[in-house]
Amino acid sequence: MNTTISVIKADIGSIGGHIRPSKRLLDSVEEYVRQHQKGLLIDHRVSYTGDDIAILCTHNLGAENEKVHGLAWDAFKAGTEVARDQGLYGAGQDLLKDAFSGNVKGLGPAVAEIEFEERPNEPFLLFAADKTDPGAYNLPLYLAFADPMYCAGLILSPGMFKGFRFDIMDVSYTEADKVISLNAPEELYDIAALLRDPERFVVEAIYSRDTGEQAVSVSTTRLHNIAGKYTGKDDPVMLVRVQGSFPATGEVLGPFHIGAYVAGFMRGSHNGPLMPVPLNSPVSFFDGPPVVSCAAYCVHEGRLTSAADAFDHPFWDYIRSRVSEKAVEIRRQGFFGNAMLPYSELEYGGIVKKLEDLEERFQFR
Ligand code: F6R
Ligand code: MG
Ligand code: MG
């Protein structure tokens, strides 16, 4: 029987601004899932990254299952009541629609899911990012799955010699899912041409061309596409199956040392370096910097091990210092130029009104 791993995450309120959820809120979500999972889930874990709560669960019901999504939706609804009761900031922020309609996609929460036949040993990684958007994973995925400079397995491990298929979504198209499949290594330049624009083109999934197995699933939700206005950054989650004919854990983690500049940070309107952080980390400086955590698991017959905290290691302390320097450097130039996102990506509409008002005062010469 196939195992499905689903991760569904939402920001439903946090302490002291958009910093982190309260312990009571986390406990309430976990408690709800525990009480209602019988006959549905095999296992589950609840964690947070910045102000977002992720429900990781395993089951045999396949991706986009109405009952599994409904359980997560209801858990976030129940949590929202607790957030309101505690007066948490942004209570229920990511629950953008009133009613659940079979699938949380398009309702606000972010979802990543993979269904597969378990290998005898099945290691996988759960990434959760805050104060950024799904394109933040484009560069690490490109380097880990298509570049032998970062992924030694591409030249050393025969199971990877055929390369990987990238499914890339045009997230600016809102009428339907608009997706292209491109093969690495033959179409590397085409992949790069799309992934260089992470606000528009986002890796949705990656498949082994050797086995056809799915390695990666990324949540591709763009909140402002759903709400039509700023409601917070999309704060993406990602599942990555690793080892064997997939890249090794270390090959997937490696590119995160770059701390690449990504969209997000304060008011979802700036560029900031993506900082790899330990599990259950809050944000801080300028509501950031953009952060990403990684929980490494094994799953067997749907049962999850405890999480290994992949970025909790002295090596990453050094990287965090360097990323902090990058964050300070770009913050020194405030609103100017590349420090702030282009007009189309600014998540706050206020500037539109300001520019409209100023427009009237321009004079023609
Ligand atoms: C970014 C984010 C925060 C808020 C900022 C202002 O995704 O969540 O940076 O945008 O704290 O928040 P509001 O508008 O709620 O006062
Ligand atoms: Mg938020
Ligand atoms: Mg968030």
Side-chain angles (χ1 to χ4, degrees):
M1 200 187 302
N2 282 356
T3 296
T4 305
I5 306 175
S6 302
V7 56
I8 304 180
K9 79 95 225 168
D11 174 355
I12 51 168
S14 48
I15 309 174
H18 296 272
I19 300 294
R20 56 152 288 177
S22 68
K23 175 152 188 334
R24 201 181 130 206
L25 176 54
L26 281 160
D27 289 347
S28 72
V29 172
E30 145 77 26
E31 186 59 26
Y32 190 95
V33 176
R34 196 178 26 238
Q35 280 179 9
H36 295 81
Q37 50 99 40
K38 214 157 177 266
L40 203 56
L41 305 183
I42 303 170
D43 214 343
H44 70 277
R45 299 280 185 273
V46 174
S47 59
Y48 76 90
T49 303
D51 56 12
D52 296 292
I53 297 180
I55 302 171
L56 172 71
C57 54
T58 58
H59 51 92
N60 299 128
L61 300 168
E64 304 205 9
N65 181 272
E66 180 168 350
K67 287 188 178 138
V68 173
H69 283 222
L71 173 60
W73 177 263
D74 291 342
F76 288 135
K77 277 274 179 205
T80 297
E81 291 310 312
V82 172
R84 291 213 172 97
D85 182 58
Q86 284 195 293
L88 295 190
Y89 194 67
Q93 179 184 283
D94 283 357
L95 308 186
L96 300 179
K97 305 276 157 107
D98 293 330
F100 177 72
S101 55
N103 187 321
V104 293
K105 277 190 180 167
L107 304 184
V111 193
E113 303 185 288
I114 308 185
E115 179 182 354
F116 53 89
E117 196 181 324
E118 281 183 12
R119 299 171 288 175
N121 315 287
E122 189 60 61
F124 74 95
L125 310 175
L126 161 61
F127 290 88
D130 188 36
K131 304 297 185 266
T132 188
D133 59 21
Y137 295 128
N138 279 6
L139 181 63
L141 288 175
Y142 173 84
L143 296 174
F145 283 84
D147 187 346
M149 291 289 283
Y150 281 78
C151 181
L154 293 170
I155 52 175
L156 298 180
S157 178
M160 295 170 68
F161 288 174
K162 286 190 186 147
F164 292 89
R165 186 187 100 208
F166 285 65
D167 286 1
I168 299 169
M169 185 182 284
D170 177 351
V171 292
S172 70
Y173 191 77
T174 50
E175 302 302 308
D177 287 354
K178 187 178 163 192
V179 182
I180 187 171
S181 292
L182 294 170
N183 285 324
E186 301 93 296
E187 297 174 299
L188 215 50
Y189 297 168
D190 297 324
I191 293 172
L194 296 180
L195 299 191
R196 61 146 221 102
D197 184 354
E199 269 55 72
R200 171 134 189 226
F201 298 108
V202 173
V203 176
E204 180 196 41
I206 299 177
Y207 295 81
S208 161
R209 294 174 69 197
D210 188 46
T211 63
E213 291 268 299
Q214 184 172 2
V216 174
S217 171
V218 180
S219 65
T220 49
T221 330
R222 298 243 34 203
L223 290 173
H224 75 253
N225 289 350
I226 301 170
K229 60 176 172 32
Y230 175 82
T231 51
K233 263 287 181 246
D234 318 304
D235 305 340
V237 284
M238 167 166 81
L239 294 169
V240 184
R241 293 170 68 204
V242 287
Q243 308 292 149
S245 56
F246 302 131
T249 299
E251 287 165 338
V252 177
L253 298 177
F256 286 93
H257 90 275
I258 296 169
Y261 287 112
V262 296
F265 223 163
M266 174 59 74
R267 296 181 186 273
S269 300
H270 295 81
N271 281 308
L274 185 62
M275 179 182 280
V277 293
L279 300 178
N280 299 318
S281 288
V283 292
S284 177
F285 171 58
F286 205 56
D287 280 3
V291 290
V292 59
S293 67
C294 177
Y297 290 97
C298 279
V299 58
H300 185 61
E301 294 168 355
R303 283 174 288 110
L304 294 165
T305 58
S306 57
D309 190 342
F311 291 133
D312 184 15
H313 183 277
F315 172 81
W316 296 102
D317 291 338
Y318 164 70
I319 294 301
R320 283 188 275 275
S321 300
R322 290 177 56 112
V323 172
S324 295
E325 280 169 20
K326 287 182 73 167
V328 168
E329 247 351 279
I330 197 154
R331 284 314 318 134
R332 276 155 57 87
Q333 67 178 62
F335 63 80
F336 185 69
N338 291 340
M340 204 180 253
L341 291 176
Y343 190 79
S344 58
E345 285 299 322
L346 289 179
E347 299 282 10
Y348 277 69
I351 197 163
V352 177
K353 173 85 180 68
K354 186 178 283 299
L355 293 178
E356 275 169 9
D357 292 349
L358 290 173
E359 185 63 27
E360 289 165 15
R361 294 174 52 194
F362 276 92
Q363 294 182 352
F364 293 97
R365 278 206 298 254

